[in-house]
Amino acid sequence: MMEAEKQQFHFSWPLFQLVSLVKGSVFVIFYLFILKAGSNSAFILTLKGLFIAFLIFSVIKIFLNWVYTRYEISETAVTLYLGIFVKHQRNVELKRIQNVQQTTNFLHRMLKLTSLTLETGTTGEEAAVKFPVLSHAEADRIKGLVEEAKRVHAEPPNSVAEEEAIAPPPLPERKVHFTAGTKDLVKAAFTSLSMFAIFPILFSLYFQFDDFFNLDETSQSVFAFFASRLWLLVPVLAAALLLSAVIGFITTYSKYGKFVISADEQRIYIRKGVFTETQFSIRKDKVQAIKIEQPFLKRLLGMAEVKLVSAGSVGDDDAEINSLFPFLPVKEAYRLVEELLPQYRIAGSMEALPKSALWLRLLRPYYFWVAATVALAVFKTEWLWLSAPLLVIFIVARFLEYRYTRYSLTERFIQIRTGAFSANTLLTKRVKVQEIQVTHSWLQRKFGVSSLHFHNRSKPLLATELKDVPRETGAKFYGWFKDRTHFVK
């Protein structure tokens, strides 16, 4: 049995905290010590003094936190010793770790370090154990202890003698299922519209600097110059578009470059990023549901994003870490799901809503349209004509939502697809559903339909609703969930 020892965090931890402090204070420093450098205003001088005092206090706190923070990791648990004046201790069993996220940003890479986050299936501030700065060797050791604890917990030995006699099983073989190439990254840059992101950024910078410097005269002179030489607009716009495309591709490449999805028998591994590299792993048996999202543009291009809904958190600073590459062709997305999670089956054909659901949806109140019409009538009477096309758009959207909504309820799975201009598909197992509710309003009772509600365990809680299914389906759904305890996974 390994004897755990208290360890201090890496000596570079204060450096990372100081860099984070400076990054968060850049605007204040720019305003107080550059723009207002020569100001003798009592208000500005007071702000400078308070800010300097805040910096001194923050720097002292950073170093004291590093001095007094310790961690201890054994074969079964990780313990954190926290607090400067008020001490407290956190203990998390390794077998409770659901996901492991490893992030290596630019500063980590320069110093040959990394960070590690161990995520449990709970919620709140103590849902994850974070190691902001670690050596790669220490990170690998911690990940190895987590894997070993999971393996021992899954298959406990019959006796100590048997534990010593049986050699540890070999590590499962990992297979690569997807690697993002240049073609995928070009599609990602176009689909994410990052190649056009420079224009709103420039406009934002213009208005921000205009608050400090009077740029109206300069902008007017530039506008007058191009107004008298319209032929110059073509090469200028072409150059701006080319520059924007290059910047957009670089941004996309830095975020999604080296994107690799691999898996073994127990876990799925996702790695991405060039300047900031992120690695994430999730246990297959902890996947609560699969979400396939197709926003309007991706739907037009036949692309989709597959997200894995986990029982635990999916990263503290990256909301897309649980995504199987957000810019996959639909067939490729389905192929990946089948390869990575063969226990899930995506239904090719699903049931449509009854025709009564269409009339019900068209008859439901158009609250937003009424509010918009009243606002136009009060504030912009000359634009009141927009109310009619707006109503047409809402009616078309409700018709499309009825047309594209589908559902499938089998012995093991429930799968639903919703959306009008976009499309969202959710697939989950019966054994993963935590709670259900079948409701029917007064209007729904008149049309003989119900709404299905169900929850999956995740962070935050995944709540799903399917409106206007036949009443018989509502009764079937209730029995489907009630009998799940008699069903073998």
Side-chain angles (χ1 to χ4, degrees), residues 34-65:
I34 296 180
L35 292 182
K36 300 295 183 180
S39 175
N40 293 320
S41 167
F43 177 71
I44 296 298
L45 292 176
T46 302
L47 287 181
K48 287 182 179 180
L50 291 174
F51 181 69
I52 291 174
F54 165 75
L55 287 181
I56 294 174
F57 172 78
S58 299
V59 170
I60 293 174
K61 184 180 178 182
I62 286 172
F63 279 95
L64 288 178
N65 272 328

Side-chain angles (χ1 to χ4, degrees), residues 94-378:
L94 295 182
K95 66 182 181 181
R96 290 180 52 218
I97 302 300
Q98 305 285 353
N99 309 321
V100 179
Q101 179 184 347
Q102 183 173 348
T103 303
T104 307
N105 62 29
F106 183 72
L107 186 56
H108 281 123
R109 196 184 301 275
M110 285 183 60
L111 300 177
K112 297 182 179 180
L113 300 169
T114 188
S115 68
L116 200 65
T117 302
L118 308 179
E119 300 161 348
T120 67
T122 59
T123 58
E125 295 182 358
E126 297 191 352
V129 179
K130 301 176 183 179
F131 299 90
V133 185
L134 289 171
S135 66
H136 285 277
E138 180 68 1
D140 291 340
R141 184 181 77 88
I142 294 174
K143 289 190 293 183
L145 289 172
V146 172
E147 290 297 328
E148 184 63 26
K150 288 286 186 182
R151 193 156 46 240
V152 170
H153 177 68
E155 298 180 2
N158 295 327
S159 64
V160 177
E162 183 180 347
E163 181 181 8
E164 295 176 352
I166 300 177
L171 293 176
E173 184 179 354
R174 192 184 301 185
K175 178 183 177 182
V176 175
H177 293 267
F178 174 80
T179 303
T182 304
K183 184 178 179 181
D184 298 306
L185 296 176
V186 171
K187 288 182 180 180
F190 176 77
T191 309
S192 65
L193 301 180
S194 61
M195 59 189 306
F196 303 110
I198 188 175
F199 296 107
I201 292 174
L202 290 177
F203 279 114
S204 175
L205 290 176
Y206 171 82
F207 288 115
Q208 288 184 18
F209 280 102
D210 189 48
D211 292 337
F212 302 103
F213 309 102
N214 187 7
L215 301 179
D216 287 341
E217 296 182 2
T218 304
S219 59
Q220 289 176 6
S221 62
V222 171
F223 178 78
F225 175 81
F226 281 104
S228 60
R229 300 168 179 83
L230 292 178
W231 60 272
L232 280 176
L233 288 177
V234 176
V236 169
L237 289 176
L241 286 173
L242 179 61
L243 177 62
S244 180
V246 171
I247 293 176
F249 179 78
I250 293 175
T251 303
T252 304
Y253 178 74
S254 66
K255 188 174 184 180
Y256 297 108
K258 298 183 179 179
F259 199 110
V260 177
I261 302 173
S262 58
D264 54 34
E265 293 182 359
Q266 297 180 347
R267 285 185 173 270
I268 297 172
Y269 304 87
I270 300 173
R271 187 186 70 193
K272 70 169 188 172
V274 177
F275 304 114
T276 297
E277 181 180 304
T278 302
Q279 298 181 42
F280 174 76
S281 71
I282 176 175
R283 288 180 62 91
K284 294 182 179 182
D285 58 352
K286 299 303 180 182
V287 174
Q288 302 296 304
I290 297 172
K291 296 173 68 176
I292 303 174
E293 300 179 351
Q294 290 183 279
F296 181 69
L297 183 57
K298 288 183 182 179
R299 189 173 183 180
L300 285 179
L301 298 175
M303 304 179 75
E305 177 178 7
V306 179
K307 290 185 176 180
L308 305 179
V309 179
S310 169
S313 172
V314 289
D316 54 339
D317 58 355
D318 194 340
E320 295 180 343
I321 192 62
N322 64 328
S323 172
L324 303 183
F325 196 71
F327 312 98
L328 289 168
V330 175
K331 291 184 178 179
E332 179 74 1
Y334 287 0
R335 180 193 67 81
L336 267 178
V337 171
E338 293 175 357
E339 289 185 2
L340 295 172
L341 297 165
Q343 66 272 32
Y344 281 85
R345 288 288 182 268
I346 300 177
S349 60
M350 294 183 284
E351 297 183 43
L353 297 178
K355 290 184 179 180
S356 59
L358 172 60
W359 302 112
L360 172 60
R361 294 186 177 212
L362 293 177
L363 287 175
R364 282 197 176 106
Y366 296 81
Y367 295 113
F368 183 82
W369 172 75
V370 172
T373 302
V374 171
L376 290 173
V378 174

